[in-house]
Amino acid sequence: MGSDEKIVILGAGFAALTAVKTLRKKRFSGSITMVASRPIFSYLPSTIWIPSGLRSREDLEIPLENFFARFNVRFFQGSVTGLDAESRQVNTDQCALPYDRLLIASGASFIKKLPGIKEHAIIPCDGIHAGEQIRDRIAAMDGGSIAMGFGGNPKEPAGMRGGPVFEFLYGIDTLLRKQGRRDRFKITFFSPAPEPGKKLGPKAAGGLLREMKKRGIETHLGHKMKGFTENSVITEGGEIESNLTLFMPGLTGSVWLSESGLPLSPGGFVVADKGGRVPGFNNVYVAGDSGSFPGPEWMPKQAHMADLQAAAAVKNMLSDMTGSPENHHFKVELICIVDSVNSGVLVYRDMKRAIIFKTRLFHWAKLLFEWIYLRGVR
């Protein structure tokens, strides 16, 4: 499909890469510009393996030069500061970039409002450096208390990411057992939700809590968060002793969106339909964690969902170019493997069913998927 239109994609994560591949697969031969702070793809799902030494920064940060060359993509290094939708320009800290079609795939940001969160808690999915911090802190500890938990966005149920916390929780427990020093550590899982993990399916929450009990992991559930200190997690239900705190706060949209003029959800994300179109802006689309989409409360913000949304948004974008708009909708589907370094639990959920299944083979399946995906990026 030939076109003189200029497409600008914000971000260099899962949704952005899938959008590029879908555009070229659908024979779009026009200009594609990707905007990001670095020409690097970070495979964040595998940061869970950094504390155990199974993965390192070098394994998970993939330079994108080859990807850009293969798919004929222009890379623009910069940070987005705003949007002028009327003149069709993206404002960055470098200059303004014109576009004909814009795909927002720049991810979400963490809500860091709780007192002490920046000083006394590590956010596990805040980048490769977070996994390295966790690795180094655990290696330096002779024993003590470790507290891990997650929160949500009170204005938007979908604005949360709890799955990786369970993986860090079980992975660190497994690591300490392999090292023969688990008995020197007290591990506590905490969450303001009384049934954490419920998004994974009706049976998942109970299964996750049973696994914690089996591993000797204590729980502190159903109490609103108040803040963090150097040696504790403070909740309305009391304090949790903690020498190392891992906390995944709720998600919201990027800061620049508040001045973009785009329609935003109560939780701060770009409002979109089931095909990634932004209402009122016929040349702006969104995919991945940046968007607020119609669907069930359990609809995940995860890589697989971002891929599905990006593919649908691109198909709609291309149909809009022809002047004969089609309605491509993404499937709402949750697929993940909750890994514990030497085993894994497959969790699948769609609009009709929820399945959970555990076997050691799923650990290797997760490794295989990583290898296949990164091979395609490299």
Side-chain angles (χ1 to χ4, degrees), residues 232-249:
S232 69
V233 177
I234 307 171
T235 78
E236 289 186 349
E239 292 193 23
I240 307 166
E241 181 185 358
S242 179
N243 306 119
L244 171 62
T245 301
L246 278 59
F247 179 65
M248 194 89 79

PDB file of all heavy atoms in Angstrom, residues 232-249:
ATOM      1  N   SER A 232       9.894   0.238  57.025  1.00  0.00           N
ATOM      2  CA  SER A 232       8.521  -0.215  57.194  1.00  0.00           C
ATOM      3  C   SER A 232       7.620   0.212  56.045  1.00  0.00           C
ATOM      4  O   SER A 232       7.930   1.154  55.305  1.00  0.00           O
ATOM      5  CB  SER A 232       7.937   0.315  58.514  1.00  0.00           C
ATOM      6  OG  SER A 232       7.751   1.720  58.451  1.00  0.00           O
ATOM      7  N   VAL A 233       6.515  -0.505  55.919  1.00  0.00           N
ATOM      8  CA  VAL A 233       5.406  -0.132  55.047  1.00  0.00           C
ATOM      9  C   VAL A 233       4.254   0.243  55.969  1.00  0.00           C
ATOM     10  O   VAL A 233       3.895  -0.529  56.867  1.00  0.00           O
ATOM     11  CB  VAL A 233       4.986  -1.302  54.138  1.00  0.00           C
ATOM     12  CG1 VAL A 233       3.774  -0.907  53.284  1.00  0.00           C
ATOM     13  CG2 VAL A 233       6.140  -1.744  53.248  1.00  0.00           C
ATOM     14  N   ILE A 234       3.684   1.417  55.793  1.00  0.00           N
ATOM     15  CA  ILE A 234       2.633   1.900  56.681  1.00  0.00           C
ATOM     16  C   ILE A 234       1.276   1.779  55.988  1.00  0.00           C
ATOM     17  O   ILE A 234       1.083   2.285  54.887  1.00  0.00           O
ATOM     18  CB  ILE A 234       2.876   3.364  57.088  1.00  0.00           C
ATOM     19  CG1 ILE A 234       4.284   3.537  57.674  1.00  0.00           C
ATOM     20  CG2 ILE A 234       1.836   3.818  58.103  1.00  0.00           C
ATOM     21  CD1 ILE A 234       4.678   4.988  57.897  1.00  0.00           C
ATOM     22  N   THR A 235       0.338   1.101  56.651  1.00  0.00           N
ATOM     23  CA  THR A 235      -1.022   0.975  56.142  1.00  0.00           C
ATOM     24  C   THR A 235      -1.996   1.364  57.250  1.00  0.00           C
ATOM     25  O   THR A 235      -1.609   1.506  58.412  1.00  0.00           O
ATOM     26  CB  THR A 235      -1.328  -0.466  55.683  1.00  0.00           C
ATOM     27  OG1 THR A 235      -1.592  -1.283  56.829  1.00  0.00           O
ATOM     28  CG2 THR A 235      -0.171  -1.051  54.892  1.00  0.00           C
ATOM     29  N   GLU A 236      -3.253   1.510  56.879  1.00  0.00           N
ATOM     30  CA  GLU A 236      -4.266   1.820  57.882  1.00  0.00           C
ATOM     31  C   GLU A 236      -4.493   0.647  58.831  1.00  0.00           C
ATOM     32  O   GLU A 236      -5.085   0.813  59.895  1.00  0.00           O
ATOM     33  CB  GLU A 236      -5.580   2.220  57.205  1.00  0.00           C
ATOM     34  CG  GLU A 236      -5.519   3.586  56.523  1.00  0.00           C
ATOM     35  CD  GLU A 236      -6.862   4.032  55.980  1.00  0.00           C
ATOM     36  OE1 GLU A 236      -7.792   3.199  55.935  1.00  0.00           O
ATOM     37  OE2 GLU A 236      -6.981   5.225  55.601  1.00  0.00           O
ATOM     38  N   GLY A 237      -4.010  -0.518  58.458  1.00  0.00           N
ATOM     39  CA  GLY A 237      -4.132  -1.694  59.321  1.00  0.00           C
ATOM     40  C   GLY A 237      -2.889  -1.982  60.121  1.00  0.00           C
ATOM     41  O   GLY A 237      -2.754  -3.060  60.711  1.00  0.00           O
ATOM     42  N   GLY A 238      -1.958  -1.028  60.136  1.00  0.00           N
ATOM     43  CA  GLY A 238      -0.722  -1.207  60.892  1.00  0.00           C
ATOM     44  C   GLY A 238       0.511  -1.130  60.020  1.00  0.00           C
ATOM     45  O   GLY A 238       0.432  -0.906  58.814  1.00  0.00           O
ATOM     46  N   GLU A 239       1.672  -1.303  60.640  1.00  0.00           N
ATOM     47  CA  GLU A 239       2.949  -1.235  59.933  1.00  0.00           C
ATOM     48  C   GLU A 239       3.504  -2.629  59.661  1.00  0.00           C
ATOM     49  O   GLU A 239       3.314  -3.545  60.456  1.00  0.00           O
ATOM     50  CB  GLU A 239       3.970  -0.424  60.746  1.00  0.00           C
ATOM     51  CG  GLU A 239       3.633   1.058  60.845  1.00  0.00           C
ATOM     52  CD  GLU A 239       4.798   1.879  61.375  1.00  0.00           C
ATOM     53  OE1 GLU A 239       5.950   1.423  61.259  1.00  0.00           O
ATOM     54  OE2 GLU A 239       4.549   2.982  61.900  1.00  0.00           O
ATOM     55  N   ILE A 240       4.189  -2.748  58.518  1.00  0.00           N
ATOM     56  CA  ILE A 240       4.857  -3.989  58.150  1.00  0.00           C
ATOM     57  C   ILE A 240       6.358  -3.731  58.209  1.00  0.00           C
ATOM     58  O   ILE A 240       6.868  -2.816  57.550  1.00  0.00           O
ATOM     59  CB  ILE A 240       4.475  -4.433  56.720  1.00  0.00           C
ATOM     60  CG1 ILE A 240       2.954  -4.505  56.563  1.00  0.00           C
ATOM     61  CG2 ILE A 240       5.127  -5.764  56.381  1.00  0.00           C
ATOM     62  CD1 ILE A 240       2.511  -4.597  55.113  1.00  0.00           C
ATOM     63  N   GLU A 241       7.066  -4.501  59.003  1.00  0.00           N
ATOM     64  CA  GLU A 241       8.520  -4.349  59.063  1.00  0.00           C
ATOM     65  C   GLU A 241       9.127  -4.711  57.712  1.00  0.00           C
ATOM     66  O   GLU A 241       8.768  -5.720  57.109  1.00  0.00           O
ATOM     67  CB  GLU A 241       9.092  -5.254  60.150  1.00  0.00           C
ATOM     68  CG  GLU A 241      10.601  -5.144  60.304  1.00  0.00           C
ATOM     69  CD  GLU A 241      11.150  -6.138  61.312  1.00  0.00           C
ATOM     70  OE1 GLU A 241      10.351  -6.873  61.916  1.00  0.00           O
ATOM     71  OE2 GLU A 241      12.388  -6.185  61.471  1.00  0.00           O
ATOM     72  N   SER A 242      10.027  -3.870  57.225  1.00  0.00           N
ATOM     73  CA  SER A 242      10.617  -4.139  55.910  1.00  0.00           C
ATOM     74  C   SER A 242      11.976  -3.470  55.764  1.00  0.00           C
ATOM     75  O   SER A 242      12.097  -2.253  55.855  1.00  0.00           O
ATOM     76  CB  SER A 242       9.689  -3.650  54.789  1.00  0.00           C
ATOM     77  OG  SER A 242      10.271  -3.883  53.526  1.00  0.00           O
ATOM     78  N   ASN A 243      12.997  -4.280  55.524  1.00  0.00           N
ATOM     79  CA  ASN A 243      14.331  -3.758  55.203  1.00  0.00           C
ATOM     80  C   ASN A 243      14.515  -3.553  53.707  1.00  0.00           C
ATOM     81  O   ASN A 243      15.422  -2.854  53.274  1.00  0.00           O
ATOM     82  CB  ASN A 243      15.406  -4.719  55.718  1.00  0.00           C
ATOM     83  CG  ASN A 243      15.258  -5.040  57.187  1.00  0.00           C
ATOM     84  OD1 ASN A 243      15.073  -6.204  57.558  1.00  0.00           O
ATOM     85  ND2 ASN A 243      15.303  -4.030  58.030  1.00  0.00           N
ATOM     86  N   LEU A 244      13.636  -4.189  52.919  1.00  0.00           N
ATOM     87  CA  LEU A 244      13.633  -4.028  51.468  1.00  0.00           C
ATOM     88  C   LEU A 244      12.179  -4.066  51.007  1.00  0.00           C
ATOM     89  O   LEU A 244      11.484  -5.065  51.218  1.00  0.00           O
ATOM     90  CB  LEU A 244      14.427  -5.140  50.780  1.00  0.00           C
ATOM     91  CG  LEU A 244      14.326  -5.218  49.252  1.00  0.00           C
ATOM     92  CD1 LEU A 244      14.864  -3.949  48.607  1.00  0.00           C
ATOM     93  CD2 LEU A 244      15.064  -6.450  48.719  1.00  0.00           C
ATOM     94  N   THR A 245      11.719  -2.967  50.384  1.00  0.00           N
ATOM     95  CA  THR A 245      10.327  -2.875  49.959  1.00  0.00           C
ATOM     96  C   THR A 245      10.236  -2.791  48.446  1.00  0.00           C
ATOM     97  O   THR A 245      10.865  -1.933  47.818  1.00  0.00           O
ATOM     98  CB  THR A 245       9.641  -1.642  50.571  1.00  0.00           C
ATOM     99  OG1 THR A 245       9.691  -1.733  51.998  1.00  0.00           O
ATOM    100  CG2 THR A 245       8.194  -1.551  50.126  1.00  0.00           C
ATOM    101  N   LEU A 246       9.451  -3.698  47.868  1.00  0.00           N
ATOM    102  CA  LEU A 246       9.126  -3.657  46.448  1.00  0.00           C
ATOM    103  C   LEU A 246       7.642  -3.337  46.339  1.00  0.00           C
ATOM    104  O   LEU A 246       6.809  -4.047  46.897  1.00  0.00           O
ATOM    105  CB  LEU A 246       9.400  -5.012  45.782  1.00  0.00           C
ATOM    106  CG  LEU A 246      10.825  -5.348  45.341  1.00  0.00           C
ATOM    107  CD1 LEU A 246      11.793  -5.313  46.520  1.00  0.00           C
ATOM    108  CD2 LEU A 246      10.860  -6.737  44.709  1.00  0.00           C
ATOM    109  N   PHE A 247       7.331  -2.253  45.624  1.00  0.00           N
ATOM    110  CA  PHE A 247       5.931  -1.840  45.523  1.00  0.00           C
ATOM    111  C   PHE A 247       5.624  -1.367  44.120  1.00  0.00           C
ATOM    112  O   PHE A 247       6.340  -0.532  43.559  1.00  0.00           O
ATOM    113  CB  PHE A 247       5.630  -0.716  46.511  1.00  0.00           C
ATOM    114  CG  PHE A 247       4.205  -0.224  46.442  1.00  0.00           C
ATOM    115  CD1 PHE A 247       3.149  -1.051  46.786  1.00  0.00           C
ATOM    116  CD2 PHE A 247       3.922   1.069  46.011  1.00  0.00           C
ATOM    117  CE1 PHE A 247       1.830  -0.605  46.718  1.00  0.00           C
ATOM    118  CE2 PHE A 247       2.608   1.528  45.939  1.00  0.00           C
ATOM    119  CZ  PHE A 247       1.559   0.687  46.302  1.00  0.00           C
ATOM    120  N   MET A 248       4.554  -1.930  43.548  1.00  0.00           N
ATOM    121  CA  MET A 248       4.098  -1.523  42.224  1.00  0.00           C
ATOM    122  C   MET A 248       2.863  -0.638  42.398  1.00  0.00           C
ATOM    123  O   MET A 248       1.770  -1.140  42.673  1.00  0.00           O
ATOM    124  CB  MET A 248       3.737  -2.739  41.382  1.00  0.00           C
ATOM    125  CG  MET A 248       3.573  -2.424  39.916  1.00  0.00           C
ATOM    126  SD  MET A 248       5.124  -2.556  39.027  1.00  0.00           S
ATOM    127  CE  MET A 248       5.234  -4.337  38.832  1.00  0.00           C
ATOM    128  N   PRO A 249       3.012   0.687  42.256  1.00  0.00           N
ATOM    129  CA  PRO A 249       1.846   1.557  42.401  1.00  0.00           C
ATOM    130  C   PRO A 249       0.937   1.484  41.185  1.00  0.00           C
ATOM    131  O   PRO A 249       1.280   0.860  40.174  1.00  0.00           O
ATOM    132  CB  PRO A 249       2.476   2.951  42.536  1.00  0.00           C
ATOM    133  CG  PRO A 249       3.765   2.844  41.793  1.00  0.00           C
ATOM    134  CD  PRO A 249       4.232   1.424  41.959  1.00  0.00           C
TER     135      PRO A 249
END
